[in-house]
Amino acid sequence: MADTKREIERKFEFSKAKSARRGVPDLTGTAAIAAVSDQGTVDLDAVYYDTPDQRLAADGLTLRRRTGGADEGWHLKLPVSPGVRDEIGASLSDTVPPSLAALVRSRVRGAGLRPQVRLVSSRRVSHLLDAEGALLAELSTDEVLAERGDTTAAWTEVEVELADGVDPELLDAVEKTFRKAGLKVSDAPSKLARALAETDAEPPARHVGGGPEGTAGAHVLAYLREQRDALVAQDPAVRRALPDSVHQMRVASRRLRSAFKTYRKVIDRAATDPIGEELRWLAAELGVDRDQEVLLERIQGRLGELPRTLLIGPVRSRLRVWNTARRSGSRRRALAVLDSARYVALLDALDALLDSPPLKQAAARPPQEVLPKAVLRDYERLAGRVATGLSLDEGHERDLALHDARKAAKRLRYAAESAEPVLGKPAKHMAKAGKSVQNLLGDHQDSVVAREALRGLGAQATAAGESAFTWGVLYAREESLAERRERELPDIWSEASDPALRAALE
């Protein structure tokens, strides 16, 4: 069984041979450190696995099999932020544990994992304690020997890793003391990164083709790569069921699809449309559980707003039964999608597209000429859909039209946000306008979906001999909210369609 811990650490190296001979200074009295307790020395032997083209190392991930020490076994480290990583462990075995292999699948795919580097370390460990003897951090001094084929490298590394719940400011205080003693923060983010650099095996630079810098093609492709990378990076987070991970993965897929359409004058839709359809499939499959979760939260919130006198019958237990039935197997379904050959093929297709992009003539032009027109086209698309929605009578057809307008507002927002680095405030203001329309129409659509669910809950309650009164009350409230949002739309749209917003982009 894999286990996870958040690792907050800082690595140091001696800046001069003289300071190395003096060794690590005594940290007693630094910040809250009241004592330094020697824990002895341990020998560690770690073999790092990666693809032949070092896909894990290129993204800052490390996967190792280590013997020696209290936590021998397999360890996968995923970057969270500078100096912060999540370490996921699994029991010692001869081959990569399936639980860890799954977490790197979006990067490894069919390339396979092979031993790349061996690190043999002699580690001297000390505990940094506060006045009450509680552990603040672990101080390690490692004498490291790296082996890659016939090439070797050796160095001394000092590492301070915080105990759970300790303020990261302690690392700043330690760094200040270390600097005075001739130690500096290491340039390498990990032992593996340093080993690769010192054995001349750093990961190859990623291909960033797409035309000369300063062109529309270069800008659009940089944005597409950013979303592709976000999609890949969220894969292990979804597998670990981290909060908001499914939502973020769906956002990345939607931004990619949206950009393919927005920038159809830059990159050929004959190539992007099939990938866009696969991205739509992925977002839909991942969204089954998330959409139900959002719907449940909405209905629970509405129930919480009702006075007790309007809660007739076992409404909360009925809601739990309904939710359990709808979410049964949804997480297994999401994981099955991430393990599918279709998903891997989608990732490979994205990589192939971005490595050899089918650029059109407009890609060679300056982005200041191309991007405003793309954003304004998406605005006109939204304007048409809002006009259609407002022209229809209240009812199902109008609900569908406003749902289409919501999607168009989201596309305008994404387009403007993607253009912000080039167009600045005019794009930022247009993105804000699109978001305001999207939020209002999103609440309207959520109400449409909630009413359908409430109608079903009422029918289930009636069939079970329970009162459907409360579900009817909630239905009426959602209906009233939707009507209110429809009344608010003209004013929101009047602000979003201000000619000054468009003039700033022309």
Side-chain angles (χ1 to χ4, degrees), residues 326-344:
R326 288 171 65 103
R327 295 184 74 173
S328 177
S330 58
R331 173 157 173 78
R332 289 194 301 273
R333 176 175 173 177
L335 294 179
V337 167
L338 298 185
D339 287 334
S340 69
R342 183 176 180 179
Y343 169 65
V344 171

Side-chain angles (χ1 to χ4, degrees), residues 313-336:
V315 290
R316 296 193 186 280
S317 61
R318 168 59 54 194
L319 184 60
R320 284 194 297 271
V321 170
W322 169 83
N323 181 62
T324 300
R326 288 171 65 103
R327 295 184 74 173
S328 177
S330 58
R331 173 157 173 78
R332 289 194 301 273
R333 176 175 173 177
L335 294 179

Side-chain angles (χ1 to χ4, degrees), residues 475-503:
Y475 185 99
R477 289 196 169 199
E478 287 288 359
E479 193 171 50
S480 176
L481 181 143
E483 291 171 355
R484 186 163 65 249
R485 294 293 176 261
E486 290 179 20
R487 290 194 302 270
E488 293 168 350
L489 178 58
D491 288 340
I492 293 292
W493 176 240
S494 178
E495 294 180 10
S497 60
D498 184 344
L501 292 174
R502 304 195 297 284

Side-chain angles (χ1 to χ4, degrees), residues 1-4 63 74-76 78 88-91 93 95-105 113 235-236 239-240 339:
M1 177 67 70
D3 57 86
T4 303
L63 174 63
W74 287 89
H75 307 103
L76 172 65
L78 301 167
I88 305 167
S91 300
S93 60
T95 58
V96 180
S99 60
L100 301 188
L103 294 176
V104 297
R105 189 167 186 263
L113 292 164
D235 177 295
R239 293 176 186 273
R240 296 167 61 198
D339 287 334

Side-chain angles (χ1 to χ4, degrees), residues 50 54 57-58 116-117 119 146 148 155 191-203:
D50 206 337
Q54 298 180 45
Q116 302 294 327
V117 176
L119 297 183
R148 187 183 63 83
W155 68 89
K191 287 185 179 65
L192 176 62
R194 181 164 183 174
L196 292 173
E198 297 203 8
T199 59
D200 298 319
E202 290 185 282

